[in-house]
Amino acid sequence: MKGIAALSVALSATAVLAALPEVTVKGNAFFTGSSRFYMRGVDYQPGGSSKVDDPIADIKSCKRDIEEFKKLGINTIRIYSVDNSQNHDECMKALDDAGIYLVLDVNTPKYSLNRNEPEISYNDVYLQNVFATVDAFAKYTNTLAFFSGNEVINAPNNTNCAPYVKAVTRDIRQYIGSRGYRKIPVGYSAADVSENRKEMAEYMNCGTDDERSDFFAFNDYSWCDPSDFQTSGWDKKVENFTGYGIPLFLSEYGCNTNTRKFGEVKSLYSSDTSAVYSGGLVYEYTEEGSKYGLVEISGDSVKELPDFEALQKAFADTPNPTGDGGYSASGGASKCPAASTNWEVKENGLPAIPEPAKKFMSQGAGTGVGLSGVGSQFGGVGSTGTASAGSGQVTATAAGAQSTKKGAASNVQAGDMSIARFAVCGAVVLGSTLFGAALL
């Protein structure tokens, strides 16, 4: 009986939802089974950066907004912060029933990398909360992906933050494997900084397999209606990313300099971009004072704004590309970018995972602190050196999970470390969207 009960608990923990198929990575694209998957979605954080709430912990508002999502015809939402101490079963089930996946940022304003002092904010207290968020959402099959960070690097002069962003991505991927979860894609949402956009993408996809991201995304506001594929510069971006070995998508888009008609939707879901891009997410669902909102929310009521109707029409008029969209099945690693005026990373080694955080791989992260914790940016134990290449590999899974390699759970590889330390990032540059400029 104990064995049956334990099996039941394990099954319920790993697959609470099963209506939507899992999204997987093949080459440089996303797939559900044998069908190409394109993100067609919106960024969703009612309250914005001034009032950080968890929009999927409140089932009433969640169901209210799902009705609007269905009108838009979307299949994905992005949420920038959640309360990992809350239960999300009901809302995630409602999203699943509506055919909607979640792309989730694992950070909160209090628990995130500080671009001013990444070597301090990359610590065991921070990683514990990040891993607790992974624990809370790994059980949902409509958890499409995790973002390890958003716009941490937002200028030409703070690319020294890149090793810490990449280390967090490595650590999350190792944690997912070590805990026996399905392979949920992990990647980074970059600011569209022309001086280092391509270098950042290459960096996140270079090195050993354990160091590489599962995908790369960037926030792009270059298509300002009225415009087209060439005028916006999208043609050059697609050209620059042709041959990139992992999925690429727009984590934010929708320039509001002029009246938004969302003309870019037609190109985003066409042969213009389908060999390189896997769709994108419109910024943003609710109006937060920046004139990007699709709706206004007042209490329980939702008012659809002109941009809502424009996006709804653009989506309705634009089917996905046929077939596989010309994706590259081979994929592959990029060459690490060389140091330059706009790329300050001189060595490609990554910070070693903080010593006290190693135990989370075999023991689990424990309870998340939610949105009310004291914060991690100036607390905890940081990295003490440089990790050896391959140290982020999963060498064993936790007790009770299906092992990927022989060996006890306590044998998760920590990697050799040198005494080298990493340079402090440049100053914060204001102006990024939502949480990109505040604390991340």
Side-chain angles (χ1 to χ4, degrees):
M1 290 296 291
K2 288 182 179 179
I4 293 175
L7 177 61
S8 176
V9 170
L11 289 174
S12 64
T14 56
V16 169
L17 306 174
L20 284 176
E22 297 172 4
V23 175
T24 59
V25 171
K26 296 181 183 179
N28 75 332
F30 294 111
F31 280 79
T32 53
S34 60
S35 299
R36 179 82 184 269
F37 180 85
Y38 297 88
M39 289 187 200
R40 186 179 287 245
V42 297
D43 299 308
Y44 177 55
Q45 193 82 42
S49 59
S50 62
K51 185 177 181 292
V52 182
D53 286 323
D54 183 342
I56 54 173
D58 178 4
I59 188 59
K60 185 177 180 181
S61 61
C62 171
K63 289 184 175 179
R64 174 200 67 200
D65 294 334
I66 286 174
E67 293 306 308
E68 300 299 320
F69 299 158
K70 290 192 291 187
K71 290 181 186 179
L72 285 172
I74 64 174
N75 62 16
T76 308
I77 59 171
R78 174 191 183 177
I79 297 179
Y80 295 84
S81 286
V82 292
D83 185 336
N84 60 14
S85 68
Q86 298 296 310
N87 184 285
H88 299 89
D89 289 354
E90 194 171 357
C91 186
M92 288 297 289
K93 178 64 166 62
L95 287 166
D96 187 83
D97 290 342
I100 297 172
Y101 291 89
L102 170 66
V103 176
L104 180 62
D105 291 61
V106 298
N107 297 283
T108 68
K110 291 182 178 180
Y111 292 82
S112 55
L113 287 180
N114 184 328
R115 65 170 69 92
N116 275 340
E117 297 182 289
E119 75 286 355
I120 296 175
S121 56
Y122 175 65
N123 59 54
D124 63 313
V125 176
Y126 165 59
L127 289 175
Q128 186 277 329
N129 202 56
V130 166
F131 295 159
T133 299
V134 172
D135 288 339
F137 285 87
K139 61 185 176 180
Y140 306 118
T141 58
N142 60 330
T143 296
L144 193 163
F146 292 116
F147 277 132
S148 59
N150 176 60
E151 296 192 342
V152 181
I153 296 162
N154 62 353
N157 65 348
N158 58 10
T159 56
N160 281 342
C161 292
Y164 295 92
V165 173
K166 193 168 180 177
V168 175
T169 307
R170 173 204 63 198
D171 298 343
I172 297 171
R173 293 178 73 242
Q174 184 180 18
Y175 185 77
I176 288 171
S178 298
R179 301 308 299 161
Y181 298 138
R182 66 180 175 87
K183 191 173 181 180
I184 304 169
V186 183
Y188 174 65
S189 172
D192 190 19
V193 181
S194 60
E195 293 87 349
N196 55 48
R197 179 198 315 114
K198 191 166 186 270
E199 286 83 354
M200 188 62 186
E202 291 172 341
Y203 183 69
M204 295 303 290
N205 187 41
C206 76
T208 54
D209 286 348
D210 61 298
E211 295 173 339
R212 295 169 55 214
S213 294
D214 296 309
F215 64 85
F216 183 78
F218 65 97
N219 304 332
D220 188 342
Y221 294 89
S222 59
W223 186 307
C224 300
D225 289 319
S227 191
D228 57 42
F229 189 56
Q230 288 76 29
T231 303
S232 64
W234 277 32
D235 59 334
K236 298 301 181 184
K237 290 178 180 177
V238 170
E239 180 182 336
N240 287 337
F241 283 117
T242 296
Y244 190 58
I246 54 177
L248 182 72
F249 64 94
L250 303 183
S251 40
E252 295 177 6
Y253 73 92
C255 170
N256 68 352
T257 300
N258 305 312
T259 300
R260 296 203 289 185
K261 299 296 184 182
F262 295 102
E264 62 266 54
V265 167
K266 185 176 181 180
S267 278
L268 189 56
Y269 302 98
S270 77
S271 58
D272 285 348
T273 64
S274 62
V276 176
Y277 291 174
S278 290
L281 306 166
V282 170
Y283 188 82
E284 62 181 324
Y285 177 66
T286 51
E287 176 53 46
E288 304 296 344
S290 58
K291 306 301 181 183
Y292 282 101
L294 302 176
V295 304
E296 284 184 349
I297 295 178
S298 178
D300 295 331
S301 65
V302 177
K303 178 184 177 182
E304 296 172 3
L305 300 174
D307 284 358
F308 183 98
E309 183 178 349
L311 182 61
Q312 183 182 40
K313 185 178 188 305
F315 280 154
D317 291 345
T318 309
N320 285 337
T322 58
D324 63 18
Y327 91 108
S328 171
S330 57
S334 300
K335 182 180 179 181
C336 291
S340 67
T341 302
N342 295 320
W343 187 254
E344 302 165 308
V345 180
K346 297 179 180 179
E347 302 292 337
N348 292 316
L350 301 180
I353 187 171
E355 188 68 28
K358 294 177 183 176
K359 65 179 180 292
F360 300 139
M361 300 296 172
S362 58
Q363 299 176 15
T367 304
V369 299
L371 297 173
S372 60
V374 297
S376 65
Q377 294 188 8
F378 301 101
V381 177
S383 175
T384 56
T386 304
S388 59
S391 65
Q393 292 178 353
V394 177
T395 58
T397 52
Q402 184 177 357
S403 179
T404 56
K405 292 185 179 180
K406 292 182 180 180
S410 59
N411 290 334
V412 174
Q413 188 173 337
D416 297 329
M417 296 185 296
S418 74
I419 59 173
R421 296 300 299 269
F422 291 81
V424 177
C425 294
V428 173
V429 178
L430 299 178
S432 302
T433 54
L434 205 59
F435 304 121
L439 294 170
L440 295 181

